[in-house]
Amino acid sequence: MNSSSSTVGPVVKEQAPLLFLILFFLVQATVLTVFTVPFSWSLVWVAVGSYFLRMFGITAAYHRYFSHASFKTSRVFQFVLAWIGAMAMQKGPLWWAAHHRNHHKYSDTEKDIHSPSRKGFWYSHMFWFLRDDYNDYEAKLIPDFYKYPELRFLDRYHWIAPLSYAVFLYTVGGWGWLVYGYAVSTFILGHATWTINSLSHVYGSVRYDSRDTSKNNLWLAILTMGEGWHNNHHYYCSSANQGFYWYEVDISYYILKALSLFGIVWDLKKPPKKVLDEGLLRDQEQKELRESMRQEKQRAKVKNKVGVLST
């Protein structure tokens, strides 16, 4: 990836080359190898563990750390995070973060690289990154991490991490571990991650005026270890926790908090009191509005019933 010479802009191209589509669907089709392995719950747990390990690599590493610098860590653990993220088969950390920063800059405009309201569900969900236009990125978008040669190496040869992981799974557990821990897990992991590009801008509730279509969605937050609190995130994107309140499940943040107790990560950014107070006020206003609408609906129902009885 020769990012330093890239002139790729944020303008969206809507069609993907046929070759890339074929290769992508062939990779997706590896999930069908599940039918070559006798079912067992132990293999299911291998898939679950592999899923959440690499989801953390996307949510905490690629997204919260490399894209938004929402916490700090050592140079060694920074590379560990980048490696775990690369194991998810979603390209390199610099590529991922640079394009994500562009997404926030142009969210839900014509220049947004994956807006469902502009380009449709499937394009925003997964087809956008099949464009060869997006093989590169602009180094100026991510100067804070581009300066590290080991990250540039991993970004350029991002296939090394998932290949090594696949070899490890096969070495430890044979074909069954490779199928469940890699093929099945990667298929579900990819689509779960991509729901934040697509579904999180369509289904859910709006707390903050983030000037785009981002939504908060509990079910997507559970599925993606906290990323479903997307409206929160788009309103205040530098926070390490995307679930702003104790009742908003954010597993990635819980893990980061635990790591901070051991000094592995530190300076976890959180939303300021002003943002939290604004959110609580909006929640109360929406609650009162829903109650008012419920009462109005109930009154209309009673009125219609009385009208029917009187006739």
Side-chain angles (χ1 to χ4, degrees), residues 74-284:
S74 66
R75 185 167 176 176
V76 172
F77 195 67
Q78 171 181 274
F79 185 77
V80 171
L81 288 174
W83 185 274
I84 297 173
M87 281 163 43
M89 276 191 74
Q90 296 184 26
K91 295 191 178 182
L94 304 180
W95 177 92
W96 203 102
H99 283 298
H100 186 76
R101 290 180 181 185
N102 246 343
H103 161 64
H104 273 268
K105 183 177 181 180
Y106 300 105
S107 184
D108 284 322
T109 69
E110 283 296 333
K111 293 182 178 181
D112 188 346
I113 56 177
H114 47 61
S115 170
S117 62
R118 297 283 181 171
K119 303 299 173 185
F121 172 80
W122 285 112
Y123 187 84
S124 66
H125 187 69
M126 60 184 187
F127 288 151
W128 71 271
F129 61 78
L130 299 178
R131 289 292 305 175
D132 52 4
D133 307 67
Y134 298 124
N135 286 338
D136 270 338
Y137 60 90
E138 296 184 34
K140 66 181 181 181
L141 291 172
I142 189 163
D144 43 346
F145 295 110
Y146 188 78
K147 62 185 178 182
Y148 297 104
E150 66 273 22
L151 293 181
R152 295 199 303 271
F153 174 84
L154 181 59
D155 196 74
R156 183 177 182 85
Y157 302 104
H158 54 81
W159 52 268
I160 294 177
L163 179 61
S164 301
Y165 184 58
V167 171
F168 166 78
L169 289 171
Y170 184 77
T171 303
V172 173
W175 180 247
W177 272 45
L178 181 63
V179 169
Y180 274 83
Y182 194 82
V184 174
S185 176
T186 300
F187 179 85
I188 300 173
L189 172 68
H191 287 283
T193 304
W194 305 330
T195 62
I196 304 303
N197 295 340
S198 54
L199 296 182
S200 276
H201 281 259
V202 179
Y203 300 106
S205 60
V206 176
R207 170 182 287 138
Y208 296 103
D209 180 13
S210 57
R211 299 184 179 181
D212 55 27
T213 62
S214 59
K215 308 285 194 301
N216 285 336
N217 189 304
L218 169 63
W219 303 111
L220 294 182
I222 294 173
L223 185 67
T224 61
M225 300 177 71
E227 301 293 287
W229 306 113
H230 207 49
N231 180 245
N232 290 355
H233 172 63
H234 268 253
Y235 189 70
Y236 193 80
C237 64
S238 61
S239 177
N241 59 314
Q242 295 186 14
F244 285 178
Y245 307 99
W246 67 267
Y247 46 84
E248 294 181 335
V249 180
D250 189 345
I251 299 174
S252 291
Y253 178 71
Y254 305 154
I255 296 174
L256 289 173
K257 189 67 176 177
L259 291 173
S260 72
L261 298 177
F262 296 94
I264 299 173
V265 302
W266 57 88
D267 290 353
L268 274 67
K269 297 177 183 176
K270 299 192 70 175
K273 185 175 183 299
K274 178 182 178 181
V275 171
L276 297 176
D277 288 346
E278 180 184 348
L280 292 175
L281 179 61
R282 290 292 301 273
D283 285 353
Q284 183 60 33

